[in-house]
Amino acid sequence: MRPFLLVLSAPSGCGKTTIARRLLAERPGLAYSVSATTRPPRPAERDGTSYHFLTPVEFARRIAAGDFLEWAEYAGHRYGTLRSEVDGILASGRAAVLDIEVQGARQVRKHFSDAVHVFVLPPSGAALAERLRGRLTEGRQDYVARLKRAGQEMLAVSEYDFVIVNDRLDDAVAQVSAILDGEGHRVTRQVGLDQQVETLRREVAREADAADTQ
Ligand code: ADP
Ligand code: 5GP
């Protein structure tokens, strides 16, 4: 199968990082595209695994160098997908999972027309607020800003190929997994399909000949 990009977007706190991590643990053919950001690390985050944490100066330098496939500003910080990250994953034959917001997803669509875009919705406003409060890593002001932005971001859902509601985590992970299974069977993603069909045609013709002479 030709490897492709899975773009996961959702208002902050909906659970897309949690879903992505679960998918990566369950599906060996996937790899996480580690984004770059100017946001400071959260307590559990590790440089190079959660994000590549860059200073604003370094981020600007890498924009100027053309290193980003896409980048955007979110809640006062810059976030971007490095071309090297995606290229490396695709070259290894795996699908790349991009956990990015809607402006970045629009830019990816321009470069990779065969990417699969999935939007994650929360089961309710109260559930989203509760999940964001549970994290509250960037302080109360940031929490309010993210909640306000959530309503705006949901308007972009119609730009996506698929939508899922992250109510029960197990169900949400299974739903994205099912999407990946389906996408993997797209005719356009198959490598050597013509040859496979040609071989089958020859085999079938031989079977027909043999049956004819019996
Ligand atoms: P995002 O990446 O969309 O900002 P996270 O994956 O960081 O969101 O999840 C935000 C919070 O919500 C985390 O504390 C996570 O454990 C929790 N969470 C994620 N999915 C669910 C779910 N289905 N039910 C309850 N809590 C969830
Ligand atoms: P957080 O600060 O919660 O980790 O991320 C804030 C928002 O930035 C989330 O919506 C997340 O998906 C998005 N984001 C993370 N990495 C990237 C990226 O590389 N590009 C873009 N455009 N958005 C990103």
Side-chain angles (χ1 to χ4, degrees):
M1 185 194 49
R2 270 186 202 92
F4 57 93
L5 306 190
L6 170 67
V7 174
L8 275 182
S9 296
S12 180
C14 277
K16 61 191 172 308
T17 309
T18 309
I19 294 170
R21 298 284 172 209
R22 277 276 303 271
L23 282 172
L24 285 147
E26 291 175 13
R27 300 182 67 109
L30 291 183
Y32 191 67
S33 162
V34 180
S35 294
T37 185
T38 58
R39 165 170 79 59
R42 292 174 184 152
E45 289 179 332
R46 295 284 162 265
D47 189 34
T49 307
S50 319
Y51 281 105
H52 300 289
F53 294 101
L54 304 184
T55 62
V57 171
E58 179 61 5
F59 200 101
R61 189 193 68 74
R62 301 208 59 173
I63 294 173
D67 290 350
F68 287 110
L69 174 63
E70 62 76 26
W71 70 271
E73 290 210 9
Y74 187 98
H77 296 289
R78 285 178 168 182
Y79 296 81
T81 304
L82 292 162
R83 290 180 196 281
S84 55
E85 196 76 28
V86 167
D87 290 349
I89 294 170
L90 295 181
S92 73
R94 291 170 299 168
V97 181
L98 277 64
D99 166 349
I100 63 177
E101 51 70 68
V102 300
Q103 305 166 79
R106 286 185 190 125
Q107 296 171 54
V108 169
R109 225 172 261 122
K110 288 187 194 147
H111 297 287
F112 288 85
S113 55
D114 68 338
V116 184
H117 291 248
V118 179
F119 199 88
V120 183
L121 289 172
S124 67
L128 176 62
E130 193 185 320
R131 287 177 199 174
L132 268 175
R133 272 199 310 274
R135 206 170 59 189
L136 212 62
T137 36
E138 278 80 46
R140 189 165 168 81
Q141 228 179 345
D142 181 87
Y143 157 70
V144 176
R146 283 175 188 248
L147 211 45
K148 283 187 175 162
R149 188 160 175 152
Q152 191 63 31
E153 286 179 311
M154 283 181 209
L155 291 174
V157 68
S158 59
E159 299 170 24
Y160 285 70
D161 303 311
F162 296 95
V163 60
I164 62 153
V165 175
N166 180 19
D167 191 352
R168 281 193 58 239
L169 181 62
D170 284 351
D171 293 344
V173 172
Q175 283 159 13
V176 183
S177 215
I179 291 168
L180 283 170
D181 285 338
E183 285 295 324
H185 286 284
R186 258 187 208 284
V187 165
T188 48
R189 300 197 199 283
Q190 307 312 309
V191 177
L193 183 60
D194 289 350
Q195 204 180 2
Q196 185 186 351
V197 169
E198 225 12 78
T199 304
L200 282 169
R201 276 167 50 80
R202 275 199 298 275
E203 288 173 6
V204 169
R206 272 201 300 275
E207 293 291 336
D209 284 348
D212 215 14
T213 53
Q214 269 170 21

